[in-house]
Amino acid sequence: MNAPGPSSATAPEAPAAAPAGGDLRAAERRSRSRLERAIETAALDRLRLIAVGVTAALAVIAVVVALTAGLPDALYYHGLMLLFVASVWGQYALARRRGLVRWHSYAFAAFNFALMAFALGWPNPLSEMARHPNADQLMLRFGNFVYFFVLLAALALTFSPALVLWGGVCGAAAWSGLHLWVALQPGTIVEIHPEDADGVRAVIDRFLDPAHMDVGIWVQEVAALLITSGLLALAVQGSRDLVMRQAALERRGAALARYVPASVAERMAESDEPFLEDRAPPAAVLFTDVVGFTGWAEERPPEAVMRLLRGVHALVAEEVFRAGGVLDKFIGDGAMATFGVAPGRVGEGGLDADAAARRALACAEGVLARAAEFNAGRAARGEDVVRLSVGVHFGPVLVGDVGGAGRMELSVVGDTVNVASRLEALTRPLGAGAAASDAVMQAAGGPPEGWRERGRRVLAGRHGGVVVWTLDHRPDDPARPDAGAVPD
C-alpha cells in the first residue's frame, strides 16, 4: 500500500456522530421501535415469570387463609386459588402454543379481576356465615379488597403501562359491580355518608347493622386502586424508558468499542455532544501496512483477499486495544492508530506523553509478534504468508471534529501523522519490521530492548531529517525479509 500524502494522512474515521435535526429524530425513533419490539419479544419469558410469581404468592396466601379461616372453610378459597393458578399458567401455555396475541393479555386480566371479585364477594358455602341472611353484605366488611393489589402488582411485571391501567379499570369495575349487586339485594341499607343528626350512637348502630353498606368506603377503595394503577403505570413506563436509554447507551458503547478501548468507548457513549473543541496534545501515531499487498491481491480471488484482510485487521486491532490505543481507521490493507488522544469529555486530555510513547512502541512489538504467529498458521495450512510493517512517531497533533451537521468524524491531523506514515514506508529499504523516530524514543524514556538506531534519514516529501530506530521481524516469522517470502 502506498503511504498517504500530507492531505490524506488525516483522520481517524472515528464513529460518526449521530445525524442532526430530522435525521437524528428519525434515527432515535427507529432505535426506540427496535427496542420496543425487543421488549415485546421477551413477553413470553415475562409471562412465565408472572405465572411463577402468582403461584408463589397464592401458595403463601393459601397458608395464611388456612390459619385464619380454618378447615373446612379454607378449602373453598383454596379451590378458587387453583383457578387463578390455572388462569395464569393457561395464558402462558396459550402464548407458547399459538404465539403472543395482545388481546389475550387483556382478556385474562379482566377474567382474573372478575374471579377475584367473585372470590371476595360470594359467601363461602362451606362456612356458617353463608347461612346468615345478610351474608352478602357482610362479605364486604372483611378487608379482603387488598388482594386486588396482588393482581395489579403481577400486571406490573408485564412491562406494559397500558395493561396495568387496564387492570386498574377492570378491578374497579369488578369491585363496583359487586357493590352494585349487593346494593340491589333485599334489605341492604345503602348509606352514602353517615349522618350524625341523631347522634354518634345512632351512626355506630347503623354501621354495625349486618345489612349496612357504606358507599363512601367503596368509593375510597376504588379510588385507591385506580390511583395505584396509575402510579404503577408511570413506574412501568419510566422503567421501559430507562431500559431503552440504557440499551441504546450499551449499543452505542459496543459500536464505539470496535474503534477505541472499552474504557474510552464507555466515556464517549455517555456523552451526547460532539467533541467541539479542537485539542493539540502531544501523541504517538502508529501506521501498519502489508508489504507487497497490491501485487499479491492482483493474482488472488476477492474471497482470498478479504479473508487475509480480515485476519490482518483483527490482529492489528487486538494489539492496538491491548496497548490502550485508539484504532482510528483502516486504510485498505493498513491501519492508523493513536496513543494519547483518546477522547473523553470535552476538555479532558489523553495519556501522559511517556505512557503514550511506551504504549505505541509496545503495540509495534505486539503487531510483529502476532504477525509471526499469524504467518506460522498460514504456512502450516499451505497459504501465502504476509509481511507487516509498522511506523511510529511522537509529536503534536490537532484533534477535532470535521464534517457537517449530518455527518461528522473525529480527525487527527498534523506533521506527526505524516512522519509516522513515512516511517512505515521506510521499513522496506531498511529491511526492518518497524521504524520509529528518535522523538518517540525520547518520550518513552529510552529505546526498549531490541530496537537499534539507524542514523538520520530524510523522509519522502520532507526537508528535515529524522533519527530512526528500527525493530527487526521476529526470527520465527516466515515472512521476514531474509526468508524471501514476500516481495517489497
Side-chain angles (χ1 to χ4, degrees), residues 34-75:
R34 287 193 296 269
L35 291 172
E36 290 276 7
R37 289 195 297 271
I39 290 176
E40 295 303 324
T41 301
L44 187 61
D45 293 333
R46 292 198 302 276
L47 278 179
R48 185 177 184 278
L49 177 63
I50 292 170
V52 172
V54 170
T55 302
L58 290 177
V60 174
I61 294 173
V63 175
V64 173
V65 170
L67 294 175
T68 56
L71 296 176
D73 294 15
L75 296 178

Side-chain angles (χ1 to χ4, degrees), residues 48-419:
R48 185 177 184 278
L49 177 63
I50 292 170
V52 172
V54 170
T55 302
L58 290 177
V60 174
I61 294 173
V63 175
V64 173
V65 170
L67 294 175
T68 56
L71 296 176
D73 294 15
L75 296 178
Y76 170 72
Y77 297 109
H78 289 168
L80 292 175
M81 291 178 196
L82 289 177
L83 287 178
F84 281 111
V85 172
S87 174
V88 293
W89 283 105
Q91 183 181 1
Y92 172 67
L94 182 64
R96 286 197 60 182
R97 183 180 180 86
R98 299 190 176 181
L100 293 167
V101 181
R102 184 179 296 273
W103 70 265
H104 285 172
S105 298
Y106 291 88
F108 274 98
F111 170 77
N112 289 334
F113 278 102
L115 180 60
M116 179 65 76
F118 174 83
L120 301 180
W122 191 263
N124 183 350
L126 300 179
S127 67
E128 289 291 334
M129 195 187 69
R131 289 183 282 275
H132 192 281
N134 299 116
D136 297 331
Q137 295 85 354
L138 290 173
M139 288 297 295
L140 303 178
R141 298 203 176 190
F142 297 131
N144 293 329
F145 178 74
V146 294
Y147 291 117
F148 273 85
F149 293 96
V150 175
L151 292 182
L152 197 61
L155 289 180
L157 297 176
T158 63
F159 244 55
S160 171
L163 191 55
V164 174
L165 288 174
W166 171 254
V169 172
C170 289
W175 193 240
S176 298
L178 175 62
H179 276 73
L180 181 60
W181 178 77
V182 172
L184 296 176
Q185 295 303 305
T188 300
I189 302 173
V190 179
E191 190 169 42
I192 298 178
H193 56 83
E195 296 288 347
D196 58 359
D198 299 328
V200 176
R201 182 63 185 180
V203 173
I204 296 175
D205 289 340
R206 290 198 305 274
F207 180 78
L208 295 177
D209 190 320
H212 180 270
M213 187 186 80
D214 193 330
V215 175
I217 295 178
W218 158 58
V219 171
Q220 292 179 51
E221 291 171 335
V222 169
L225 185 67
L226 291 174
I227 292 172
T228 302
S229 66
L231 292 176
L232 273 179
L234 289 176
V236 169
Q237 184 61 53
S239 298
R240 286 175 68 100
D241 292 340
L242 179 61
V243 168
M244 290 181 185
R245 286 196 299 269
Q246 188 62 30
L249 186 65
E250 294 298 331
R251 291 182 64 180
R252 188 191 308 174
L256 288 170
R258 300 174 184 172
Y259 300 87
V260 299
S263 59
V264 177
E266 183 177 352
R267 294 163 60 195
M268 293 177 69
E270 291 174 352
S271 175
D272 293 326
E273 295 295 329
F275 306 106
L276 299 175
E277 297 181 2
D278 294 339
R279 296 184 293 122
V285 180
L286 178 146
F287 276 87
T288 68
D289 191 25
V290 177
V291 178
F293 177 80
T294 302
W296 179 89
E298 182 180 2
E299 302 174 354
R300 303 296 188 282
E303 295 81 5
V305 175
M306 183 59 70
R307 283 197 301 271
L308 177 65
L309 283 178
R310 286 174 175 166
V312 171
H313 287 169
L315 76 87
V316 170
E318 290 173 7
E319 290 305 314
V320 169
F321 294 156
R322 191 191 310 276
V326 174
L327 182 59
D328 294 314
K329 63 179 176 180
F330 292 114
I331 313 168
D333 55 304
M336 173 183 169
T338 58
F339 298 80
V341 298
R345 298 177 180 85
V346 174
E348 293 183 355
L351 299 170
D352 294 335
D354 56 346
R358 287 196 302 270
R359 292 190 182 191
L361 293 173
C363 181
E365 297 170 6
V367 168
L368 294 184
R370 288 290 303 279
E373 298 174 1
F374 179 73
N375 282 325
R378 289 181 64 86
R381 295 189 298 271
E383 299 175 337
D384 296 325
V385 296
V386 292
R387 187 192 311 165
L388 266 66
S389 58
V390 185
V392 187
H393 185 45
F394 184 88
V397 295
L398 186 64
V399 185
D401 283 329
V402 297
R407 176 66 166 87
M408 301 182 74
E409 64 182 33
L410 188 67
S411 294
V412 179
V413 299
D415 184 59
T416 300
V417 179
N418 299 327
V419 171

